[in-house]
Amino acid sequence: MTARIGVVTFPGSLDDGDAARAVRIAGAEAVRLWHGDADLHGVDAVVLPGGFSYGDYLRCGAIARFAPVMGTIVTAARGGLPVLGICNGFQILCESHLLPGALTRNEHLHFRNRDQLLRIESAGTAWTNVYQAGQEVLIPVKNGEGRYVADQRTLDELEATGRVVARYVDGNPNGSQRDIAAITNEAGNVVGIMPHPEHAVEALTGPSLDGLGFFTSILKHLAGAPA
C-alpha cells in the first residue's frame, strides 16, 4: 500500500507545493492538509513546509502553532506520528514545543539564499535513515530567521543524546549555535530542519538530489513500522 504523507498549507505557505512534489517523487501519495481542518485524513506522516505562515510578523510560527491542524499534529506526534518541519515548519515545531529551542533573526540581520553544505550527524531518525552519519549533502537554504538558539543545558543535552541531526559545513549562514541546521526529538519521529531538502530532489531545479533522502527515509521507516 502506498504511504500517504500529509503536507500542511498555512496562509502564506509558499513551499507546500514543492514539498508535495518531493513526496510524490519519493514514491508516496501527497495528501494536502489545510491549517483550519483538524482532521489529518488518515495520513502516515506529516510535512510542515517552508515559506511563511500567518502571524510571522509577531514571531515566526507563533500564531500558526494555534491552528486547528496543529492541535491534532502535536497529539499525534507525541504518539509516534512522524513529522518533518522545514524552515517555517521547524519554527512551528519549536513554537509548539515538539522540539526545544527557537529560531531567531539571523545573526548578521540579512536574508540568506544559497546552496548550503550540511553534514548529517544522525541517521537514526524516521527522516534520515537512508543517510550515513558524517555524510555531507548539498541543500538550499533561504531564511531571514533561521538562527537556532537554546540555553547551554539544552544544547549539551542535544549533543549528548545524538539529537543534532545536521550541521552547517563550510560556513554558517545564519549564526546558529553550534552550527545546528536540524534537530530531532527524543523518539526520533519529529525532525526540524532549516534548509530545504524539498528543493534538492531533481537535477533540473536543484543543486543536487541530496534532499530526496529525507523523503525516501520516511518510506523506509513506515515500511518497517508495525501495522
Side-chain angles (χ1 to χ4, degrees), residues 55-137:
D56 276 354
Y57 57 88
L58 295 174
R59 189 174 65 247
C60 291
I63 300 302
R65 65 160 290 200
F66 294 109
V69 75
M70 284 308 302
T72 310
I73 288 172
V74 168
T75 299
R78 287 174 176 159
L81 180 76
V83 179
L84 175 66
I86 303 169
C87 191
N88 187 250
F90 187 4
Q91 294 162 340
I92 294 170
L93 289 176
C94 289
E95 291 290 339
S96 300
H97 306 298
L98 285 174
L99 293 175
L103 285 306
T104 64
R105 185 73 177 158
N106 290 352
E107 190 172 42
H108 44 65
L109 304 181
H110 296 287
F111 187 90
R112 282 290 180 265
N113 182 3
R114 72 189 192 196
D115 298 332
Q116 177 67 47
L117 199 62
L118 308 177
R119 183 174 62 248
I120 301 296
E121 300 283 16
S122 173
T125 80
W127 298 92
T128 57
N129 58 66
V130 304
Y131 296 104
Q132 299 293 322
Q135 180 178 348
E136 293 188 354
V137 297

